[in-house]
Amino acid sequence: MAHATHHIIPRPLLLKVFLTLVALTIITALTGQADLGVFNFLHVPLAIGIAVIKASLVVLFFMGLKYDRPVNALAFIIGLLMVGVFLAFTLLDMLYRGDIGNLSPEPIRGPQIEQVEAPAGH
Amino acid sequence: MAGVSEAATGHAEAHAHHPPYLQHHFVSAEQQFDAAKLGMWIFLATEILLFSGMFVAYAVYRVWHPEVFQAASKLLDWRLGGLNTLVLLASSYTVALAVHYAQLGDKKRLVQNLWLTVALAGVFMVVKYFEYSEKFHHNIFPGGNYAYEGLQLPYVGQFFSIYFVMTGIHGLHVLVGMGVLTWIALRAQRGDFSSEYYTPVEISALYWHLVDIIWIFLFPLLYLIH
């Protein structure tokens, strides 16, 4: 019958995952407020790294993708890959705009631009 | 005519051999479950792509104006954001428990955990309401309507455009999730689900976990990174 093939995730495991998620939330909140001194540049990678670990725990255990049919993981991973393509190509365009040919390096200007003086060199 | 009545008899016989929740175009309950679940995962992929547009906008404007993002994100209360993170994580846990009890056929605990999830989602929205009203009170509005005296920087309105659009669309997803989970809880109370058939519970839970995951990224990106 249907239920025989479905993996039932044990309750203690769900509780462990939840407590780990809470601990990671506290860690990310505290490190977010802390002054890391010379390691302040680590704020962004640390926060994003912890968020990725938390999201992975939710996907693997709460959503049960670890025990699920691989085709579901495939649908999900293709979605993530497309996000990667979207982000990577947009940032490439932004960071290297103007390096090739004579394209204008100016960003799209918002309505507030009149209030600021144009930065030197533009 | 004989053909028609034969077909009708055949139809009635077919009904006798399958459970009421199994639709005719599926071979088995297992196939119906797998199809529904794959459909949901594909939908979740499109949801991720919907939010990715906003995450990419965040990345672009942050790279352009990092100092503005750092200053503006300090106007958000990380304690409230952190509290809401814990509330959503708890609701993800309770909805995972709901699926667990649905699989075991424990109707009472299934219903309890579904209502608990709805209640936690409600707490999230209440906290969000207080956050939004506090911002509006200080004239912190998106884009060109931003008029907070305490922090005047060029482009600071852009941060709040991103903040309000991202948290707003996420909040809309929370409201939709509350509606869906209420419906599922009422159906569970009515006795629609069993350990043999609990597909709607599982699928709604998947949606709810995605709402949690989006917030797992929104919290550090908006409240913490400064």
Side-chain angles (χ1 to χ4, degrees):
Chain A
M1 287 316 283
H3 68 285
T5 56
H6 293 176
H7 184 88
I8 300 181
I9 300 164
R11 236 157 30 109
L13 178 60
L14 293 177
L15 182 64
K16 260 184 236 164
V17 170
F18 172 60
L19 293 177
T20 312
L21 288 168
V22 169
L24 286 170
T25 304
I26 294 168
I27 291 171
T28 195
L30 292 180
T31 54
Q33 301 313 308
D35 184 6
L36 304 178
V38 285
F39 297 108
N40 258 336
F41 66 92
L42 282 177
H43 269 303
V44 176
L46 196 64
I48 292 174
I50 292 175
V52 168
I53 294 170
K54 284 167 71 183
S56 309
L57 285 172
V58 172
V59 169
L60 288 175
F61 297 102
F62 281 178
M63 298 171 95
L65 201 56
K66 184 169 188 260
Y67 314 98
D68 213 343
R69 289 181 186 271
V71 67
N72 293 336
L74 188 70
F76 182 65
I77 288 166
I78 288 174
L80 292 185
L81 281 178
M82 290 302 135
V83 174
V85 169
F86 186 12
L87 186 65
F89 277 77
T90 310
L91 289 177
L92 273 178
D93 167 40
M94 251 182 63
L95 296 173
Y96 298 102
R97 193 179 293 181
D99 287 6
I100 306 163
N102 57 354
L103 297 168
S104 164
E106 285 293 303
I108 297 163
R109 299 199 150 196
Q112 294 185 352
I113 197 72
E114 289 83 29
Q115 297 167 15
V116 259
E117 285 182 47
H122 285 286
Chain B
M1 279 301 130
V4 172
S5 68
E6 236 171 65
T9 327
H11 190 85
E13 272 170 16
H15 266 297
H17 292 297
H18 73 73
Y21 52 79
L22 179 61
Q23 292 173 330
H24 285 166
H25 48 278
F26 290 110
V27 172
S28 63
E30 193 58 31
Q31 190 203 28
Q32 179 173 275
F33 177 82
D34 287 343
K37 215 168 167 186
L38 176 60
M40 194 61 196
W41 276 104
I42 292 171
F43 172 69
L44 294 185
T46 69
E47 285 279 83
I48 292 169
L49 291 171
L50 163 74
F51 278 97
S52 76
M54 294 173 264
F55 280 111
V56 169
Y58 172 94
V60 168
Y61 284 104
R62 191 182 168 102
V63 170
W64 270 335
H65 311 295
E67 66 297 334
V68 176
F69 269 59
Q70 281 168 3
S73 92
K74 284 186 181 134
L75 296 181
L76 300 176
D77 191 337
W78 67 273
R79 290 172 198 83
L80 289 180
L83 171 68
N84 257 350
T85 308
L86 296 177
V87 168
L88 270 198
L89 289 175
S91 74
S92 248
Y93 174 56
T94 55
V95 89
L97 282 178
V99 172
H100 176 86
Y101 288 121
Q103 289 173 320
L104 296 177
D106 187 338
K107 182 182 154 188
K108 194 179 141 217
R109 290 207 174 88
L110 162 64
V111 171
Q112 276 174 357
N113 278 290
L114 286 172
W115 284 126
L116 211 54
T117 310
V118 175
L120 287 165
V123 172
F124 178 90
M125 290 311 291
V126 169
V127 173
K128 206 82 219 126
Y129 167 79
F130 283 115
E131 273 192 275
Y132 269 27
S133 6
E134 198 255 57
K135 294 283 165 295
F136 295 154
H137 180 72
H138 288 102
N139 289 323
I140 297 176
F141 293 107
N145 299 314
Y146 176 89
Y148 177 53
E149 298 296 327
L151 180 73
Q152 282 293 337
L153 276 173
Y155 301 113
V156 71
Q158 280 177 356
F159 174 84
F160 283 101
S161 293
I162 289 169
Y163 167 77
F164 279 113
V165 170
M166 290 189 96
T167 57
I169 293 182
H170 176 266
L172 196 66
H173 277 78
V174 173
L175 288 176
V176 170
M178 285 174 79
V180 169
L181 290 169
T182 301
W183 174 54
I184 295 296
L186 291 172
R187 284 188 64 185
Q189 268 173 349
R190 199 170 67 186
D192 278 11
F193 308 123
S194 64
S195 60
E196 302 288 317
Y197 175 70
Y198 57 88
T199 313
V201 181
E202 167 108 22
I203 296 229
S204 317
L206 286 179
Y207 170 81
W208 189 252
H209 291 308
L210 186 90
V211 173
D212 184 29
I213 288 173
I214 299 292
W215 185 261
I216 284 175
F217 283 97
L218 286 181
F219 171 55
L221 288 177
L222 294 172
Y223 292 77
L224 292 181
I225 298 181
H226 49 237

